[in-house]
Amino acid sequence: MENDDHAETWIFVHGNQIPPDVAVQRGTKVYRRLRPYAAPEKPIRFIIWSWPSERDGGRLADARRKRKRTEAEAFYLGSFLSASAHTGTANILGYSFGARVVSGALHLCGGGNLCGYKLPDIHRPAEPYRVAFLAAAVESDGFNRGCLYGQALSNVDHLLLQNNSSDMALRYFWVTNRSKPKALGHTGLAYAPAHCSVQQFDWEDYIGKDHSLWCYLDRAVILRRIASNFER
């Protein structure tokens, strides 16, 4: 939200069931929470990535439809990332299903194929992406070689995972697909390539069963860790 040719780009991707007008309000609030923890002299270009996530049907049907929709949205975000790779550094924050959109986009930018989607032109970033996930609704083994997002970390050098092993929404993530996957934000990450530094924290004792974004962003320690992960 600061206009500067040398600004770092920070991208926030929201979760499920967020209308477009609420997405802007929520993204603005996220920016205001995070900004004080970044270096004051650092100009930041903050992008709120809104995707069609309004509720569509019952809870289970909606979750399954949105899981599928994140694949197309990953293509759009991946196209944007590839096209803007020359504009400077980029840091990405994804919450819940938003983390799934980000994972798919990064996989496509790494040269991967996602359920039939593939980027026609790939421009790798001058500097690796730095990524932070909150309550990630992503397959826990998705970053493994040969898996759904196996090339997602190709252009990522720092990955921060803020998890919650008591999160009730993520506990039932398995119902979204016949393969009955476990959620990354619930179980944590078991594998990452050697070039990528991974930090992950389990906030079970502080957040309990809640899945709310603000349970994370109301805590200064979490905000500091996100800003620190994005420092270059």
Side-chain angles (χ1 to χ4, degrees):
M1 296 186 182
E2 300 158 32
N3 189 16
D4 190 296
D5 290 341
H6 302 288
E8 280 190 357
T9 297
W10 290 22
I11 303 171
F12 169 66
V13 186
H14 62 74
N16 194 16
Q17 299 183 7
I18 305 296
D21 58 331
V22 176
V24 173
Q25 297 170 10
R26 180 163 296 198
T28 301
K29 192 174 180 180
V30 169
Y31 169 78
R32 289 173 177 166
R33 294 283 177 91
L34 281 171
R35 188 62 181 98
Y37 295 90
E41 71 279 5
K42 176 193 296 182
I44 295 172
R45 181 187 301 106
F46 194 86
I47 295 173
I48 302 165
W49 189 271
S50 179
W51 59 284
S53 65
E54 298 94 329
R55 184 162 180 169
D56 182 9
R59 183 176 298 180
L60 177 57
D62 176 74
R64 288 175 173 169
R65 290 188 183 108
K66 298 305 173 47
R67 180 188 184 279
K68 186 67 177 175
R69 189 173 297 171
T70 59
E71 297 163 6
E73 197 60 35
F75 176 80
Y76 298 135
L77 178 57
S79 299
F80 171 80
L81 291 175
S82 182
S84 59
H86 66 284
T87 60
T89 59
N91 303 312
I92 311 173
L93 174 63
Y95 162 66
S96 190
F97 266 17
R100 187 179 187 82
V101 174
V102 174
S103 297
L106 292 173
H107 174 69
L108 291 169
C109 287
N113 185 306
L114 180 64
C115 303
Y117 293 99
K118 191 173 181 65
L119 295 180
D121 298 299
I122 298 174
H123 303 283
R124 301 189 185 280
E127 291 188 44
Y129 299 113
R130 297 200 168 181
V131 178
F133 286 162
L134 304 171
V138 176
E139 284 79 354
S140 60
D141 62 354
F143 296 147
N144 291 4
R145 293 186 183 92
C147 289
L148 189 61
Y149 307 119
Q151 291 169 251
L153 301 181
S154 300
N155 299 315
V156 176
D157 65 355
H158 283 69
L159 174 64
L160 173 68
L161 301 175
Q162 309 279 23
N163 305 326
N164 179 6
S165 57
S166 287
D167 187 313
M168 288 300 292
L170 294 181
R171 180 172 293 179
Y172 290 100
F173 177 71
W174 64 271
V175 304
T176 63
N177 189 266
R178 291 180 180 178
S179 65
K180 299 184 178 180
K182 294 181 180 179
L184 174 61
H186 188 253
T187 65
L189 182 69
Y191 164 82
H195 74 270
C196 183
S197 172
V198 177
Q199 286 187 302
Q200 50 186 338
F201 303 90
D202 186 348
W203 295 98
E204 173 188 24
D205 292 341
Y206 296 88
I207 296 177
K209 299 178 180 181
D210 210 322
H211 186 67
S212 168
L213 171 65
W214 308 116
C215 286
Y216 293 88
L217 296 186
D218 282 341
R219 299 187 178 278
V221 63
I222 294 179
L223 294 168
R224 277 196 295 270
R225 282 177 174 156
I226 295 171
S228 176
N229 186 66
F230 290 169
E231 283 181 3
R232 297 175 186 264

